[in-house]
């Protein structure tokens, strides 16, 4: 009988996901001896036994991994241990200096835990912090690595004997489940009333009564701050218009849609269309907000998502959410609750989401009638992710026909996805890329991993800056990244730029052009090796190398370099950045600059003549009217011109509403004429025709559809022109404008018909939420 000993090193997401118990069970089953151990670089395994069993072990290791584990590499070496092992053991974790490994994102409640939580005979019956190695908080409670309880915010809760027995039993589902707890030893919830709601100080409900009371308050139309996994939510009954409108008023959020949480998939289907892929996303362990087409007659308060044909839906993901919604358990059912709740981030409009109890009680006091708190700390903020499923056409090989394939668009990649890395086909130096100014995320790289951070938000105030700095520091420590390179945007006025400049570090600084970063981000997202391709960066805003505001850019780009081969013609942005809130100013300014008269069009009926006069003067005298080639602003201008809206309350609102209206007409709409000469995409003729259509009373939907057709035709013609000169046949689409699904699909299809190879974002957002990835890669290739 031949005895064999091997040593195995595994990297990837292999900690906190039940990997060691899996290894243990496998070893015992195959009659092998040795040990397994977490290190801060992964998992080390040593096994000894019959040769055939050792081989079977290696096979199964790769093929039978637990559901949440993601293996990046398995390195097997022969080993000569000094002595024979008598047992198989799980050894204590070791920290390796400078080593690192990916961290599991937070995971929604698993089915086993849900069953136990609703079983009156289980010791965790109705316990809102139940979890196991297959579910529960991870990223948001980790203070340091290796992932062990003392390095998490669960360190404050010593385990009781019963929990410890489970925790130490390799065959138990809670073996080394770091956040494991029970009603005897773990965190608990409490409900506190806002001082404005209830002046009497002693008004606190604890544990189950807190949950029941919360259900009652929600039913009564109150607004409750609920502590979640990565921060607080503000919750209220989504069918109660008064409550939702009040929430908007208090939060200072005028038009941006609110996300909804539904009791279960069945409830979602009463309000939205849900296909198979969307259902899989809704019920998977990530539990993102999924944008779904709403059904006609869905009984949702109008203020939830004004003028939208979609709703942002998610399902309960923490045990506490489940207890808030459950209608089957007799104790809970005695206190009925609305089947759909608004669940929006707990903050004033521009601030970061609150995570600490004291902070929430202070900052959210004017927003919430009561606070459903708990005493498990959130160490790092993490907002909900937002995704959308699209059916993407892809070409069937060697045939003119198309195949429809579902694809997930990441509109915001955060909770349950971050900080899982994007793996690249090449190594990068340790790099920090600080991202952009809006929808900020940053990126840390190491070896061939790019760790794109959770959503940080819009860099608009001190609280967000602070959150950004804390997150950078925290993730750099977790991933053991000491940057040799710091990459930032070229914009001299960005907070992130000044952060990069003043950061105490010997790292080399690289300023990266915004739209080059977008294209590189799309390339890296698709794991492309360095090469030159055609980048169509259609975007809202970005600082150009000539100081103008770019955003309708046709680039020839590689990681190392880019050339601007064409762009939208420069037009003036009257009043500068502030014009982005008043699309009518853009419309008037563009028309003036193109020599077109819009004075008598209906969209200006409500605007004072004097205000219009100021805009015209700004354009004529070139006063505070910076030039822009932005595609986003072109959408704004057309939206306003055709009567959709003159003012916006959130980024891209006018364009999003145009997309909604245009969708129905897209099949019957022809593009307007436009011209591309000497690398300039001219829009004067298109404007003229749009004005004519408005005067002929064509509907905004139809004109909007023609405009969408025009933009996609511009993209294709620009691509064809570049291909004629360069013979390059690959196109990458990146920039915020590509979150417009109608435009994306239209353009993709046309490009495919022209036999281009088309790359779109697969695992990162096309908007500035994905920018840092491109910055990091570019800086490494320079
Ligand atoms: Zn579980
Ligand atoms: Zn316990
Ligand atoms: Fe951008």
């Amino acid at each position: 009988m031949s005895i064999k000993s091997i040593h195995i090193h595994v990297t990837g997401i292999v900690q906190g996901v039940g990997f060691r118990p899996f290894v243990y069970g496998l070893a015992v089953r195959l009659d092998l001896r040795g040990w397994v151990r977490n290190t801060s670089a992964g998992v080390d395994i040593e096994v000894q036994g019959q040769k055939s069993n050792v081989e079977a072990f290696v096979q199964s290791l790769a093929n039978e991994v637990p559901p949440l584990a993601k293996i990046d590499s398995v390195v097997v070496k022969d080993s000569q241990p000094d002595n024979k092992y008598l047992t198989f053991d799980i050894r204590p974790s070791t920290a390796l200096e400078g080593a690192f490994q990916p961290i599991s994102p937070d995971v929604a409640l698993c089915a086993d835990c849900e069953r136990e939580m609703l079983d009156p005979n289980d010791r965790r019956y109705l316990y809102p912090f139940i979890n196991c190695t297959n579910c529960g908080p991870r990223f948001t409670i980790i203070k340091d690595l290796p992932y062990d309880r003392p390095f998490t915010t669960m360190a404050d809760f010593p385990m009781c004997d019963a929990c410890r027995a489970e925790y130490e039993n390799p065959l138990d589902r809670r073996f080394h489940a770091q956040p494991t707890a029970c009603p005897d030893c773990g965190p608990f919830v409490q409900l506190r009333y806002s001082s404005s709601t209830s002046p009497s100080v002693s008004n606190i409900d604890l544990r189950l009564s807190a949950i029941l009371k919360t259900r009652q308050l929600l039913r009564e139309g109150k607004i409750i701050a609920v502590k979640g996994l990565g921060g607080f939510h503000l919750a209220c009954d989504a069918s109660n218009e008064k409550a939702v409108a009040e929430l908007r008023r208090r939060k200072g959020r005028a038009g941006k849609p609110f996300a909804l949480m539904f009791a279960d998939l069945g409830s979602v289907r009463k309000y939205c269309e849900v296909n198979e892929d969307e259902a899989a996303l809704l019920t998977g362990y990530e539990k993102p907000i999924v944008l779904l087409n709403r059904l006609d007659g869905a009984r949702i308060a109008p203020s939830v998502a004004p003028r939208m044909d979609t709703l942002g839906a998610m399902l309960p993901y923490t045990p506490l959410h489940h207890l808030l919604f459950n209608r089957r358990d007799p104790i809970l059912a005695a206190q009925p609750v609305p089947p759909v709740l608004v669940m929006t981030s707990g903050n004033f409009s521009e601030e970061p989401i609150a995570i600490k109890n004291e902070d929430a009680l202070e900052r959210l006091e004017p927003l919430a009638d009561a606070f459903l708190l708990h005493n498990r700390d959130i160490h790092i903020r993490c907002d909900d992710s937002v995704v959308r499923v699209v059916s993407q056409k892809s070409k069937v090989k060697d045939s003119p026909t198309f195949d429809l394939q579902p694809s997930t668009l990441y509109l915001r990649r955060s909770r349950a996805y971050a900080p899982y890395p994007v793996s690249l086909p090449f190594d990068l130096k340790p790099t920090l890329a600080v991202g952009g100014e809006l929808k900020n995320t940053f990126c840390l790289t190491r070896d061939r991993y790019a760790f794109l951070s959770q959503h940080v938000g819009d860099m608009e105030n001190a609280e967000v800056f602070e959150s950004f700095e804390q997150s950078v520091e925290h993730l750099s420590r977790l991933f053991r990244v000491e940057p040799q390179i710091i990459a930032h945007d070229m914009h001299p006025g960005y907070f992130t730029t000044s952060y990069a400049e003043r950061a105490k570090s010997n790292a080399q600084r690289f300023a990266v052009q915004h739209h080059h970063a977008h294209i590189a981000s799309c390339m890296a997202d698709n794991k492309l090796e360095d090469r030159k391709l055609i980048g169509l960066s259609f975007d809202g805003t970005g600082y150009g190398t000539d100081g103008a505001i770019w955003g309708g850019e046709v680039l020839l780009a590689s990681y190392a370099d880019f050339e601007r081969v064409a762009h939208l013609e420069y037009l003036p942005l009257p009043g500068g950045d502030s014009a982005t809130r008043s699309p009518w100013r853009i419309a008037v300014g563009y028309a003036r600059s193109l020599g077109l008269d819009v004075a008598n069009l209906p969209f200006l009926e409500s605007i004072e003549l004097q205000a219009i006069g100021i805009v015209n003067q700004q354009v004529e005298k070139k006063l505070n009217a910076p030039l822009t080639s932005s595609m986003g602003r072109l959408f704004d201008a057309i939206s306003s011109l055709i009567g959709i809206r003159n003012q916006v309350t959130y980024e891209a609102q006018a364009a999003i509403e145009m997309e909604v209206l245009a969708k129905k007409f897209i099949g019957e709409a022809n593009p307007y004429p436009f011209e591309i000469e000497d690398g300039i995409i001219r829009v004067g003729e298109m404007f003229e025709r749009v004005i004519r259509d408005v005067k002929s009373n064509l509907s905004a939907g139809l004109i909007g559809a023609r405009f969408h057709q025009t933009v996609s035709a511009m993209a294709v013609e620009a691509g064809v022109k570049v291909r004629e000169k360069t013979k390059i046949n690959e196109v990458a689409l990146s920039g915020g404008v590509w979150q417009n699904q109608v435009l994306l699909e239209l353009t993709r299809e046309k490009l495919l018909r022209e036999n281009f190879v088309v790359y779109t974002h697969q695992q990162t957002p096309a908007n500035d939420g994905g920018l840092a990835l491109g910055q990091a890669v570019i800086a490494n290739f320079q």
Side-chain angles (χ1 to χ4, degrees):
M1 190 175 74
S2 91
I3 292 288
K4 191 176 166 68
S5 297
I6 56 167
H7 183 92
I8 307 173
H9 182 65
V10 188
T11 65
I13 293 192
V14 285
Q15 293 188 11
V17 291
F19 194 73
R20 284 174 305 168
F22 155 71
V23 170
Y24 179 91
L26 195 62
V28 170
R29 199 174 86 210
L30 291 169
D31 193 26
L32 300 174
R33 283 156 274 273
W35 50 264
V36 55
R37 175 170 68 194
N38 275 353
T39 73
S40 38
V43 168
D44 281 335
I45 306 166
E46 188 131 330
V47 287
Q48 192 173 70
Q50 257 190 63
K51 190 162 176 273
S52 59
N53 287 358
V54 169
E55 280 160 7
F57 179 86
V58 176
Q59 277 286 322
S60 305
L61 194 65
N63 298 334
E64 295 173 23
V65 289
L68 299 180
K70 291 197 182 175
I71 291 185
D72 282 325
S73 68
V74 178
V75 180
V76 182
K77 274 190 226 148
D78 284 335
S79 77
Q80 260 94 39
D82 298 339
N83 42 22
K84 279 191 171 176
Y85 298 113
L86 300 174
T87 54
F88 192 87
D89 302 313
I90 294 176
R91 292 195 172 173
S93 306
T94 56
L96 290 182
E97 198 54 45
F100 85 106
Q101 61 148 275
I103 295 170
S104 166
D106 300 299
V107 181
L109 183 71
C110 76
D112 288 332
C113 287
E114 187 184 355
R115 195 178 355 86
E116 288 175 0
M117 182 176 71
L118 296 171
D119 174 3
N121 299 316
D122 193 275
R123 67 190 191 89
R124 293 188 181 84
Y125 178 49
L126 303 184
Y127 182 56
F129 301 94
I130 187 169
N131 64 78
C132 72
T133 43
N134 298 322
C135 73
R138 298 285 189 278
F139 175 54
T140 53
I141 61 164
I142 292 176
K143 293 176 164 177
D144 204 352
L145 290 181
Y147 176 57
D148 264 337
R149 194 170 177 106
F151 298 121
T152 72
T153 62
M154 282 303 291
D156 304 343
F157 301 95
M159 274 178 268
C160 69
D161 290 345
C163 284
R164 178 155 296 280
E166 294 167 341
Y167 181 88
E168 287 173 353
N169 175 5
L171 299 175
D172 194 280
R173 203 171 89 248
R174 296 198 168 82
F175 176 72
H176 282 229
Q178 305 306 341
T180 191
C182 77
D184 291 332
C185 65
F188 56 89
V189 290
Q190 55 166 264
L191 182 72
R192 278 197 199 220
Y193 300 87
S194 194
S195 57
S196 54
T197 321
S198 162
S200 62
V201 187
S202 65
N203 236 335
I204 295 177
D205 281 294
L206 273 183
R207 298 189 163 87
L208 191 57
S209 88
I211 293 167
L212 293 171
K213 189 72 188 174
T214 302
R215 291 168 64 115
Q216 183 196 331
L217 292 173
L218 287 166
R219 194 177 67 237
E220 289 169 356
K222 295 285 190 290
I223 297 167
I224 316 292
V226 179
K227 191 174 183 179
L229 261 184
F232 276 80
H233 282 121
L234 288 164
C236 74
D237 179 356
S239 64
N240 183 333
E241 173 59 20
K242 218 176 127 208
V244 181
E246 176 64 11
L247 176 57
R248 280 211 181 275
R249 191 188 64 76
R250 290 190 197 170
K251 210 171 134 86
R253 177 153 144 169
K256 200 172 179 185
F258 284 140
L260 301 175
M261 190 177 272
F262 291 80
D264 48 38
L265 188 58
S267 327
V268 183
R269 291 190 194 278
K270 288 183 188 144
Y271 298 83
C272 304
E273 283 172 34
V274 186
N275 66 29
E276 226 174 279
D277 304 299
E278 290 161 340
L281 266 172
L282 284 165
T283 55
Y285 62 78
E286 291 103 345
K287 298 281 189 307
I289 297 168
V290 184
L291 293 191
L292 300 170
N293 292 330
R294 72 197 280 177
L295 293 174
D296 291 338
R299 285 182 46 206
I300 292 290
S303 291
V304 167
R307 294 199 192 195
M308 292 292 115
D309 60 349
T310 54
L311 292 172
M314 65 180 149
L315 291 181
Y317 54 86
T318 68
L320 182 57
H321 294 152
H322 282 264
L323 296 176
L324 281 180
F325 278 98
N326 187 286
R327 285 169 290 179
R328 279 168 301 163
D329 177 84
I331 297 178
L332 297 170
Q335 193 59 266
V337 70
V340 193
L341 298 176
V342 165
M343 275 281 184
T344 185
S345 48
N347 54 4
F348 277 106
S349 267
E350 263 100 51
E351 292 181 354
I353 188 167
I355 57 171
K356 300 252 182 291
N357 289 348
E358 319 79 67
D359 184 42
L361 285 168
E362 192 186 309
R363 281 204 289 141
L364 304 184
E365 164 85 37
L367 276 71
D369 298 309
F371 294 82
L372 185 60
L373 306 171
H374 60 70
N375 55 346
R376 185 181 72 201
D377 283 344
I378 298 171
H379 186 69
I380 199 80
R381 182 172 279 122
C382 200
D383 291 70
D384 292 319
S385 297
V386 185
V387 303
R388 175 153 210 185
V389 179
V390 292
S391 299
Q392 287 200 326
K393 292 201 175 82
S394 60
K395 210 153 187 182
V396 178
K397 212 168 187 288
D398 303 325
S399 119
T401 56
F402 288 96
D403 209 10
L404 276 181
Q405 300 231 328
S407 166
T408 305
L409 294 188
Y410 292 83
L411 305 179
R412 185 203 281 161
R413 182 185 182 272
S414 199
R415 178 184 53 75
Y417 299 104
Y420 189 69
V422 174
S423 355
L424 301 168
F426 38 74
D427 273 11
L428 296 181
K429 287 182 193 155
T431 305
L432 164 64
V434 295
E437 201 74 343
L438 295 177
K439 303 181 169 69
N440 177 276
T441 67
F442 58 90
C443 183
L444 290 160
T445 70
R446 196 181 158 134
D447 305 346
R448 53 189 185 82
Y449 293 116
F451 300 95
L452 196 58
S453 79
Q454 75 277 28
H455 171 78
V456 177
D458 295 349
M459 294 290 180
E460 290 184 342
N461 56 54
E463 287 79 13
V464 184
F465 301 161
E466 201 185 309
S467 172
F468 170 84
E469 290 182 2
Q470 283 170 355
S471 298
V472 168
E473 202 181 302
H474 181 58
L475 263 65
S476 307
R477 193 174 60 242
L478 285 188
F479 296 127
R480 312 286 194 263
V481 174
E482 263 185 58
Q484 293 172 17
I485 297 173
I486 299 180
H488 60 87
D489 196 271
M490 272 183 182
H491 198 302
Y494 278 4
F495 167 81
T496 47
T497 301
S498 70
Y499 173 87
E501 280 163 356
R502 77 191 138 73
K504 281 198 199 74
S505 161
N506 297 323
Q508 257 183 302
R509 308 311 204 261
F510 278 107
V512 179
Q513 202 281 322
H514 191 93
H515 302 102
H516 183 203
H518 271 308
I519 298 304
S521 169
C522 180
M523 291 170 68
D525 175 311
N526 284 280
K527 300 178 195 285
L528 300 189
E529 298 276 3
D530 190 27
R531 67 182 78 175
K532 204 176 256 186
L533 51 62
I534 301 166
L536 298 175
S537 191
F538 288 3
D539 200 25
T541 187
Y543 192 82
T545 50
D546 57 358
I549 304 165
W550 291 11
E553 309 305 312
V554 181
L555 310 179
L556 253 183
S558 64
Y559 289 130
D561 216 349
F562 79 97
E563 185 190 337
R564 188 190 199 198
V565 287
H567 61 86
L568 275 181
E569 67 179 291
Y570 279 140
L571 290 165
L573 203 55
D577 265 353
S578 67
T580 56
R581 286 191 294 276
S582 309
W584 73 266
R585 289 176 202 272
I586 309 172
V588 169
Y590 280 18
R592 184 71 164 200
S593 175
L594 293 165
L596 299 168
D597 182 21
V598 292
N600 295 318
L601 292 191
F603 83 104
L604 289 178
E605 270 165 18
S606 61
I607 308 286
E608 288 189 22
L609 279 178
Q610 201 194 349
I612 299 171
I614 292 174
V615 170
N616 283 329
Q617 280 199 2
Q618 284 172 322
V619 172
E620 232 129 79
K621 298 188 175 152
K622 300 189 165 63
L623 277 174
N624 192 18
L627 294 176
T628 183
S629 57
S630 163
M631 185 59 82
R633 296 299 83 80
L634 189 64
F635 270 83
D636 289 340
I638 298 293
S639 294
S640 174
L641 201 62
I642 66 180
I644 291 175
R645 74 168 44 244
N646 281 343
Q647 302 286 343
V648 299
T649 59
Y650 63 92
E651 211 208 353
Q653 184 178 16
I656 291 168
E657 291 178 4
M658 172 156 59
E659 183 190 353
V660 170
L661 296 174
K663 210 178 278 180
K664 293 192 219 55
F665 297 92
I666 206 73
E668 56 186 275
N670 295 315
Y672 291 112
F674 63 92
E675 239 182 319
I676 305 181
E677 39 168 34
D678 302 330
I680 308 291
I681 307 170
R682 302 219 172 265
V683 296
E685 215 179 330
M686 179 191 77
F687 258 82
E688 213 179 313
R689 299 286 290 270
V690 170
I691 292 168
R692 204 188 303 167
D693 279 353
V694 173
K695 286 181 176 163
S696 323
N697 286 321
L698 255 58
S699 74
L702 180 55
I703 306 176
R706 297 191 66 183
F707 172 67
H708 277 74
Q709 289 284 6
T710 315
V711 173
S712 73
M714 286 173 183
V716 176
E717 193 175 321
V720 169
K721 284 205 144 122
V722 180
R723 181 170 62 187
E724 277 166 10
K725 276 195 194 151
T726 61
K727 304 284 173 278
I728 291 174
N729 196 42
E730 293 182 305
V731 180
L733 306 181
S734 189
V737 170
W738 296 114
Q739 300 217 329
N740 180 323
Q741 218 187 115
V742 170
L743 183 71
L744 179 68
E745 271 316 282
L746 208 55
T747 310
R748 255 179 59 90
E749 186 179 338
K750 287 183 190 171
L751 287 167
L752 291 172
R753 285 192 195 283
E754 291 289 339
N755 294 310
F756 282 103
V757 177
V758 185
Y759 298 104
T760 58
H761 285 259
Q762 301 298 312
Q763 47 180 334
T764 58
N767 66 16
D768 286 6
L771 196 71
L773 173 63
Q775 292 176 341
V777 177
I778 289 170
N780 269 272
F781 276 82
Q782 283 186 342

